[in-house]
Short mmCIF file of all heavy atoms in Angstrom, two decimals:
data_model
loop_
_atom_site.label_atom_id
_atom_site.label_comp_id
_atom_site.label_asym_id
_atom_site.label_seq_id
_atom_site.Cartn_x
_atom_site.Cartn_y
_atom_site.Cartn_z
N VAL A 235 14.17 -123.56 167.17
CA VAL A 235 14.52 -124.75 166.39
C VAL A 235 14.19 -124.49 164.92
O VAL A 235 13.04 -124.19 164.57
CB VAL A 235 13.75 -125.99 166.90
CG1 VAL A 235 14.08 -127.20 166.03
CG2 VAL A 235 14.10 -126.26 168.36
N LEU A 236 15.21 -124.60 164.07
CA LEU A 236 15.02 -124.37 162.64
C LEU A 236 14.71 -125.66 161.88
O LEU A 236 13.88 -125.66 160.97
CB LEU A 236 16.29 -123.72 162.05
CG LEU A 236 16.76 -122.44 162.73
CD1 LEU A 236 18.05 -121.95 162.07
CD2 LEU A 236 15.69 -121.36 162.63
N LEU A 237 15.41 -126.73 162.24
CA LEU A 237 15.22 -128.04 161.61
C LEU A 237 15.23 -129.11 162.68
O LEU A 237 15.92 -128.98 163.69
CB LEU A 237 16.35 -128.35 160.61
CG LEU A 237 16.44 -127.61 159.28
CD1 LEU A 237 17.70 -128.05 158.56
CD2 LEU A 237 15.21 -127.86 158.42
N GLU A 238 14.51 -130.20 162.44
CA GLU A 238 14.59 -131.33 163.35
C GLU A 238 14.09 -132.61 162.65
O GLU A 238 13.34 -132.56 161.67
CB GLU A 238 13.79 -131.07 164.63
CG GLU A 238 12.31 -130.86 164.43
CD GLU A 238 11.59 -130.61 165.75
OE1 GLU A 238 11.92 -131.27 166.74
OE2 GLU A 238 10.68 -129.74 165.78
N SER A 239 14.57 -133.74 163.17
CA SER A 239 14.09 -135.06 162.77
C SER A 239 14.19 -135.31 161.26
O SER A 239 13.19 -135.59 160.59
CB SER A 239 12.64 -135.26 163.23
OG SER A 239 12.51 -135.06 164.62
N ILE A 240 15.42 -135.21 160.74
CA ILE A 240 15.63 -135.45 159.31
C ILE A 240 16.61 -136.62 159.15
O ILE A 240 17.76 -136.53 159.58
CB ILE A 240 16.17 -134.20 158.60
CG1 ILE A 240 15.13 -133.08 158.69
CG2 ILE A 240 16.51 -134.51 157.14
CD1 ILE A 240 15.57 -131.77 158.09
N ASP A 241 16.14 -137.69 158.55
CA ASP A 241 16.97 -138.88 158.30
C ASP A 241 16.77 -139.33 156.87
O ASP A 241 15.63 -139.62 156.45
CB ASP A 241 16.58 -140.03 159.24
CG ASP A 241 17.11 -139.84 160.65
OD1 ASP A 241 18.30 -140.10 160.86
OD2 ASP A 241 16.32 -139.42 161.52
N LEU A 242 17.87 -139.40 156.11
CA LEU A 242 17.80 -139.89 154.73
C LEU A 242 19.19 -140.26 154.25
O LEU A 242 20.19 -139.83 154.83
CB LEU A 242 17.15 -138.85 153.81
CG LEU A 242 17.79 -137.45 153.75
CD1 LEU A 242 18.75 -137.34 152.58
CD2 LEU A 242 16.70 -136.39 153.62
N THR A 243 19.25 -141.06 153.20
CA THR A 243 20.52 -141.50 152.63
C THR A 243 20.48 -141.32 151.12
O THR A 243 19.51 -141.74 150.47
CB THR A 243 20.80 -142.97 152.97
OG1 THR A 243 20.84 -143.12 154.39
CG2 THR A 243 22.14 -143.41 152.39
N VAL A 244 21.52 -140.69 150.57
CA VAL A 244 21.58 -140.39 149.14
C VAL A 244 22.69 -141.23 148.51
O VAL A 244 23.80 -141.34 149.05
CB VAL A 244 21.85 -138.89 148.89
CG1 VAL A 244 21.82 -138.57 147.40
CG2 VAL A 244 20.84 -138.04 149.65
N ASP A 245 22.41 -141.81 147.35
CA ASP A 245 23.38 -142.65 146.64
C ASP A 245 24.23 -141.85 145.67
O ASP A 245 23.78 -140.82 145.14
CB ASP A 245 22.65 -143.75 145.86
CG ASP A 245 21.98 -144.77 146.77
OD1 ASP A 245 22.63 -145.16 147.75
OD2 ASP A 245 20.83 -145.14 146.50
N PRO A 246 25.46 -142.31 145.39
CA PRO A 246 26.28 -141.66 144.36
C PRO A 246 25.56 -141.69 143.02
O PRO A 246 24.88 -142.67 142.68
CB PRO A 246 27.54 -142.53 144.32
CG PRO A 246 27.58 -143.25 145.62
CD PRO A 246 26.15 -143.45 146.01
N GLY A 247 25.68 -140.62 142.27
CA GLY A 247 25.02 -140.53 140.98
C GLY A 247 23.61 -139.97 141.06
O GLY A 247 22.97 -139.80 140.03
N ASP A 248 23.14 -139.67 142.28
CA ASP A 248 21.79 -139.13 142.44
C ASP A 248 21.78 -137.62 142.24
O ASP A 248 22.60 -136.89 142.83
CB ASP A 248 21.23 -139.44 143.83
CG ASP A 248 20.58 -140.81 143.90
OD1 ASP A 248 20.44 -141.47 142.85
OD2 ASP A 248 20.18 -141.22 145.01
N LEU A 249 20.84 -137.15 141.43
CA LEU A 249 20.53 -135.73 141.33
C LEU A 249 19.27 -135.52 142.16
O LEU A 249 18.22 -136.08 141.86
CB LEU A 249 20.30 -135.34 139.87
CG LEU A 249 19.93 -133.87 139.58
CD1 LEU A 249 21.02 -132.92 140.09
CD2 LEU A 249 19.68 -133.66 138.10
N VAL A 250 19.39 -134.71 143.23
CA VAL A 250 18.34 -134.61 144.25
C VAL A 250 17.75 -133.21 144.27
O VAL A 250 18.48 -132.22 144.38
CB VAL A 250 18.90 -134.97 145.64
CG1 VAL A 250 17.79 -134.89 146.69
CG2 VAL A 250 19.53 -136.36 145.63
N LEU A 251 16.44 -133.14 144.18
CA LEU A 251 15.71 -131.89 144.30
C LEU A 251 15.32 -131.67 145.76
O LEU A 251 14.77 -132.57 146.39
CB LEU A 251 14.45 -131.95 143.42
CG LEU A 251 13.43 -130.83 143.60
CD1 LEU A 251 14.01 -129.49 143.18
CD2 LEU A 251 12.16 -131.14 142.80
N VAL A 252 15.63 -130.49 146.28
CA VAL A 252 15.22 -130.14 147.65
C VAL A 252 14.06 -129.16 147.52
O VAL A 252 14.21 -128.04 147.03
CB VAL A 252 16.38 -129.52 148.45
CG1 VAL A 252 15.91 -129.12 149.85
CG2 VAL A 252 17.54 -130.51 148.54
N LEU A 253 12.89 -129.60 147.98
CA LEU A 253 11.64 -128.89 147.76
C LEU A 253 11.05 -128.46 149.10
O LEU A 253 11.17 -129.17 150.10
CB LEU A 253 10.67 -129.82 147.02
CG LEU A 253 9.47 -129.23 146.30
CD1 LEU A 253 9.93 -128.31 145.16
CD2 LEU A 253 8.60 -130.35 145.73
N GLY A 254 10.39 -127.32 149.10
CA GLY A 254 9.72 -126.86 150.32
C GLY A 254 9.29 -125.42 150.17
O GLY A 254 9.85 -124.68 149.36
N GLY A 255 8.32 -125.03 150.94
CA GLY A 255 7.84 -123.66 150.89
C GLY A 255 8.79 -122.69 151.57
O GLY A 255 9.80 -123.07 152.16
N SER A 256 8.44 -121.42 151.50
CA SER A 256 9.24 -120.39 152.15
C SER A 256 9.30 -120.64 153.65
O SER A 256 8.28 -120.91 154.29
CB SER A 256 8.64 -119.02 151.87
OG SER A 256 9.35 -118.01 152.53
N GLY A 257 10.52 -120.59 154.21
CA GLY A 257 10.68 -120.78 155.64
C GLY A 257 10.75 -122.22 156.08
O GLY A 257 10.83 -122.51 157.27
N ALA A 258 10.73 -123.17 155.11
CA ALA A 258 10.77 -124.58 155.48
C ALA A 258 12.18 -125.04 155.88
O ALA A 258 12.34 -126.13 156.42
CB ALA A 258 10.25 -125.45 154.33
N GLY A 259 13.19 -124.22 155.57
CA GLY A 259 14.54 -124.55 156.02
C GLY A 259 15.43 -125.18 154.96
O GLY A 259 16.37 -125.90 155.30
N LYS A 260 15.18 -124.89 153.69
CA LYS A 260 15.98 -125.51 152.61
C LYS A 260 17.45 -125.08 152.68
O LYS A 260 18.35 -125.93 152.63
CB LYS A 260 15.38 -125.16 151.25
CG LYS A 260 13.94 -125.64 151.05
CD LYS A 260 13.42 -125.36 149.67
CE LYS A 260 13.31 -123.88 149.34
NZ LYS A 260 12.32 -123.17 150.19
N THR A 261 17.69 -123.79 152.77
CA THR A 261 19.07 -123.31 152.84
C THR A 261 19.72 -123.72 154.15
O THR A 261 20.91 -124.08 154.19
CB THR A 261 19.11 -121.78 152.67
OG1 THR A 261 18.54 -121.43 151.40
CG2 THR A 261 20.55 -121.27 152.72
N THR A 262 18.96 -123.70 155.23
CA THR A 262 19.48 -124.17 156.52
C THR A 262 19.87 -125.64 156.43
O THR A 262 20.90 -126.07 156.97
CB THR A 262 18.43 -123.97 157.63
OG1 THR A 262 18.07 -122.59 157.70
CG2 THR A 262 18.96 -124.43 158.97
N PHE A 263 19.06 -126.42 155.75
CA PHE A 263 19.36 -127.85 155.52
C PHE A 263 20.67 -127.99 154.75
O PHE A 263 21.53 -128.81 155.13
CB PHE A 263 18.19 -128.47 154.75
CG PHE A 263 18.44 -129.87 154.27
CD1 PHE A 263 18.44 -130.93 155.16
CD2 PHE A 263 18.65 -130.12 152.93
CE1 PHE A 263 18.67 -132.24 154.72
CE2 PHE A 263 18.87 -131.41 152.47
CZ PHE A 263 18.88 -132.47 153.36
N PHE A 264 20.84 -127.23 153.69
CA PHE A 264 22.09 -127.26 152.92
C PHE A 264 23.28 -126.97 153.83
O PHE A 264 24.29 -127.68 153.83
CB PHE A 264 22.03 -126.23 151.80
CG PHE A 264 21.64 -126.79 150.46
CD1 PHE A 264 20.98 -128.01 150.36
CD2 PHE A 264 21.94 -126.10 149.29
CE1 PHE A 264 20.62 -128.52 149.12
CE2 PHE A 264 21.58 -126.61 148.05
CZ PHE A 264 20.92 -127.82 147.96
N ASN A 265 23.19 -125.88 154.58
CA ASN A 265 24.31 -125.46 155.42
C ASN A 265 24.66 -126.51 156.46
O ASN A 265 25.84 -126.73 156.79
CB ASN A 265 24.00 -124.13 156.10
CG ASN A 265 23.99 -122.97 155.13
OD1 ASN A 265 24.60 -123.05 154.05
ND2 ASN A 265 23.32 -121.89 155.48
N ALA A 266 23.65 -127.19 157.00
CA ALA A 266 23.90 -128.23 157.99
C ALA A 266 24.56 -129.45 157.37
O ALA A 266 25.50 -130.02 157.92
CB ALA A 266 22.59 -128.63 158.67
N VAL A 267 24.09 -129.85 156.18
CA VAL A 267 24.65 -131.03 155.53
C VAL A 267 26.08 -130.76 155.07
O VAL A 267 26.95 -131.64 155.13
CB VAL A 267 23.77 -131.45 154.34
CG1 VAL A 267 24.42 -132.59 153.55
CG2 VAL A 267 22.39 -131.89 154.82
N MET A 268 26.37 -129.54 154.62
CA MET A 268 27.71 -129.20 154.15
C MET A 268 28.68 -128.96 155.29
O MET A 268 29.89 -128.85 155.07
CB MET A 268 27.65 -127.95 153.25
CG MET A 268 26.97 -128.20 151.92
SD MET A 268 27.08 -126.74 150.83
CE MET A 268 26.06 -125.57 151.70
N GLY A 269 28.17 -128.80 156.50
CA GLY A 269 29.05 -128.53 157.64
C GLY A 269 29.34 -127.07 157.85
O GLY A 269 30.12 -126.71 158.74
N TYR A 270 28.72 -126.18 157.05
CA TYR A 270 28.94 -124.74 157.23
C TYR A 270 28.33 -124.27 158.56
O TYR A 270 28.89 -123.41 159.24
CB TYR A 270 28.31 -123.95 156.09
CG TYR A 270 29.02 -124.08 154.76
CD1 TYR A 270 30.12 -124.93 154.60
CD2 TYR A 270 28.61 -123.34 153.66
CE1 TYR A 270 30.77 -125.05 153.40
CE2 TYR A 270 29.26 -123.46 152.44
CZ TYR A 270 30.33 -124.31 152.31
OH TYR A 270 30.98 -124.43 151.11
N GLU A 271 27.18 -124.82 158.89
CA GLU A 271 26.52 -124.53 160.17
C GLU A 271 26.11 -125.87 160.76
O GLU A 271 25.09 -126.45 160.36
CB GLU A 271 25.29 -123.63 159.95
CG GLU A 271 25.63 -122.27 159.37
CD GLU A 271 24.39 -121.46 159.01
OE1 GLU A 271 23.28 -122.04 159.07
OE2 GLU A 271 24.52 -120.27 158.69
N LYS A 272 26.89 -126.37 161.68
CA LYS A 272 26.68 -127.73 162.16
C LYS A 272 25.39 -127.85 162.95
O LYS A 272 25.02 -126.96 163.73
CB LYS A 272 27.87 -128.17 163.01
CG LYS A 272 29.17 -128.29 162.23
CD LYS A 272 30.31 -128.73 163.12
CE LYS A 272 31.60 -128.84 162.33
NZ LYS A 272 32.75 -129.24 163.17
#
């Protein structure tokens, strides 16, 4: 399991920082949200 239990809502016009240490799953999170890796 790479990621689990993530719930959030972003508004239009928001500039959002994605923060986390090495291995926390930042790029995996991006790929999942973009639909590249469902």
Side-chain angles (χ1 to χ4, degrees):
V235 177
L236 305 177
L237 288 176
E238 62 180 320
S239 304
I240 297 177
D241 284 281
L242 56 96
T243 301
V244 184
D245 292 317
D248 274 354
L249 179 59
V250 181
L251 169 65
V252 178
L253 198 63
S256 177
K260 300 184 296 295
T261 300
T262 302
F263 172 73
F264 263 20
N265 289 338
V267 174
M268 291 186 293
Y270 289 4
E271 298 173 351
K272 294 180 181 178

